[in-house]
Amino acid sequence: MPDPLNVLFVSAEAEPLVKVGGLGDVAGSLPRALRSLPLNDAGGRAIDVRLVIPFHSVITHRLPDLQLIGNFQVPHPSGPIPARVFMTTINQMPVYLIEGPPILSGTTVYSTNPIEDGEKYIFFSLASLELATRLDWKPDILHFNDWHTAIAAYELANRRKTSSSYARIKSVLSIHNLPFMGGGAETVVRSFGIPPATDDRLPVWARSFPLPLGLLAADHIIAVSPTYAQEILAPEFGCGLQDFLKTRSDCISGILNGIDEKGWDPSTDTALAGNFSVSELDQRLINKKSLLEEFQLPYSPNIPLLIMIGRIDNQKGMDLAIEGLRMVTDQPWQAILLGTGDPLLESAARSLEVELPDRVRAAIRFDLLLSHRMYAGGDMLLMPSRYEPCGLAQMIAMRYGCVPVARETGGLKDTIRDNREPGGGNGYLFKEASPAAFTVALLRALAMYPNRPAWQAMQIRGMTQDFSWKQSARAYAEIYLNLQEREPC
Ligand code: GLC
């Protein structure tokens, strides 16, 4: 029996311990999917993935088997910083939690202060590298995610040159959101003794930014959808790194995220007023009625309920949705908006509720259980994202029979088929990031809604699509295995 392939998955957040956004979902579900891949999908080798995250002060889960397994120091020019490592097991997977002064000092997972976050995540990144050589278990691959852990890929490449403990370890870096590069933390990077890059492929401004440094050094780069992997090579989505990324394009793959199909299953979801499946789609109505009642909105069979769920920020296009909805008030619809984020956009959502009190509700909060009820009760999910590396909400919505109206970008393009496509689609897409373009797609959806058989056929196409991790986990395994056999990039 060949040795297992050991992968340490390094992330700022991971469900069920701590989740702020999509990264938390992915770090919670992908490692599990990889661990349960059949041996013949991974070249005959078991994949022993383990997770490491910071021991954030917001982690309040009861962890009965939590053990302190080690103490070490992270080198720093003005004196080493102590780190403690705890271990627990979640769904049979070993999970390491790193604690240290820069992690303990924060009260939230991400702050708005780039220096504070820089200190926390650069410490965490370097501590995860130390951990990799201090365990009895030896990782073959370190899989980093986003800017928070990217600097470790850069540092690994440096250490590989001089240290035999790191010589055989390969790195993978996933891009979940390119614009977040760790800008503002350059002084922190330097304060940890990490000099700016000298490689002139990287723009001068990016040479001490954590994410670009990681992208320069990682042995393989993964974007979270095939379309996003292409988009980041062009100016519109490349954030100034497009020319540099093109020089690395042989080492970039686009792999679509999956969703946790057990956690998101309308036939068993205990958060719902009524469970349902494709064969009993009418049961969905119980959820719609109960959701409307919860928000004190009237029920009428011909009025579609539009929902929007997630971070309220420029990326997600809440402003496009709000403006667009204002343009179609002559149509029948009701809307519930859920999320938190940019205070200006939050207040724009609240203003829409004030303007249209008989049809709009803005729930400005993070409420996971409410999101389940909304996916199950909503008729259409609005996702007018300016960019969307993958997007999970549209996949969850489709699994729950809620039809997406979304911008044709990134993972939205890869998961949603427009209803005009031959054979029918599972949603509505538009191209330009403008309220007007959004309303064209929305009006098409609103016009189709009264046609129950056609609408149900579309719901069923969405509900029966494969959003599991199976395919993607195989693609990750292939990358890990190839890397092992290859010289570093
Ligand atoms: C980020 C991206 C989102 C993606 C998620 C998980 O939150 O904005 O598109 O689905 O990461 O990869």
Side-chain angles (χ1 to χ4, degrees), residues 150-379:
I151 201 80
Y154 183 65
E155 201 36 34
L156 172 67
N158 288 335
R159 291 190 192 177
R160 266 195 316 223
K161 292 180 198 147
T162 53
S163 154
S164 59
S165 337
Y166 291 102
R168 298 184 53 78
I169 305 180
K170 301 286 168 55
S171 64
V172 173
L173 174 58
S174 285
I175 308 175
H176 300 262
N177 208 327
L178 184 63
F180 294 83
M181 297 185 195
E186 303 89 296
T187 50
V188 184
V189 170
R190 283 185 228 120
S191 78
F192 271 89
I194 302 172
T198 50
D199 191 313
D200 57 15
R201 287 176 301 166
L202 210 55
V204 175
W205 58 264
R207 293 187 186 169
S208 280
F209 277 42
L211 183 61
L213 290 180
L215 294 171
L216 181 66
D219 296 308
H220 203 87
I221 297 169
I222 294 174
V224 288
S225 68
T227 295
Y228 196 56
Q230 290 303 315
E231 286 176 339
I232 57 177
L233 303 181
E236 189 183 357
F237 299 100
C239 305
L241 294 183
Q242 59 277 2
D243 293 336
F244 154 67
L245 286 169
K246 273 193 237 150
T247 69
R248 298 234 49 204
S249 60
D250 288 352
C251 295
I252 303 180
S253 311
I255 304 179
L256 204 59
N257 290 329
I259 54 172
D260 170 8
E261 285 199 310
K262 288 208 178 83
W264 293 108
D265 182 351
S267 68
T268 53
D269 190 336
T270 51
L272 308 190
N275 291 114
F276 59 94
S277 63
V278 265
S279 56
E280 51 205 9
L281 206 46
D282 293 341
Q283 299 288 325
R284 262 194 118 246
L285 201 56
I286 301 173
N287 296 293
K288 178 170 176 179
K289 285 184 175 158
S290 119
L291 186 63
L292 289 171
E293 203 176 296
E294 180 178 343
F295 282 92
Q296 296 174 335
L297 286 168
Y299 168 73
S300 157
N302 296 321
I303 304 185
L305 175 58
L306 320 182
I307 59 167
M308 192 157 170
I309 299 176
R311 264 184 290 126
I312 299 186
D313 62 14
N314 180 60
Q315 174 189 346
K316 300 289 175 181
M318 174 65 91
D319 53 326
L320 302 180
I322 292 175
E323 236 1 86
L325 288 173
R326 279 205 184 98
M327 290 160 73
V328 295
T329 47
D330 56 337
Q331 298 287 318
W333 53 263
Q334 296 165 312
I336 303 177
L337 317 172
L338 168 67
T340 58
D342 177 340
L344 279 178
L345 292 172
E346 286 180 355
S347 79
R350 283 200 191 92
S351 308
L352 193 71
E353 172 177 325
V354 172
E355 247 169 75
L356 304 169
D358 52 342
R359 54 158 106 190
V360 175
R361 294 292 178 269
I364 306 299
R365 58 181 193 266
F366 182 87
D367 189 336
L368 188 61
L369 290 180
L370 172 58
S371 77
H372 284 245
R373 300 196 291 279
M374 287 172 65
Y375 288 121
D379 295 301

Side-chain angles (χ1 to χ4, degrees), residues 43-112:
R45 293 175 76 177
I47 303 197
D48 185 357
V49 189
R50 304 183 179 194
L51 180 69
V52 56
I53 61 170
F55 207 155
H56 297 289
S57 47
V58 294
I59 297 180
T60 52
H61 250 68
R62 259 178 50 78
L63 299 166
D65 68 341
L66 190 72
Q67 291 172 45
L68 176 65
I69 60 156
N71 278 295
F72 53 79
Q73 294 182 323
V74 172
H76 190 284
S78 49
I81 310 176
R84 297 206 294 168
V85 184
F86 295 83
M87 186 178 149
T88 184
T89 310
I90 296 178
N91 299 319
Q92 282 109 51
M93 175 172 67
V95 176
Y96 304 102
L97 295 134
I98 293 182
E99 191 199 75
I103 292 172
L104 288 170
S105 69
T107 50
T108 51
V109 176
Y110 308 114
S111 81
T112 46

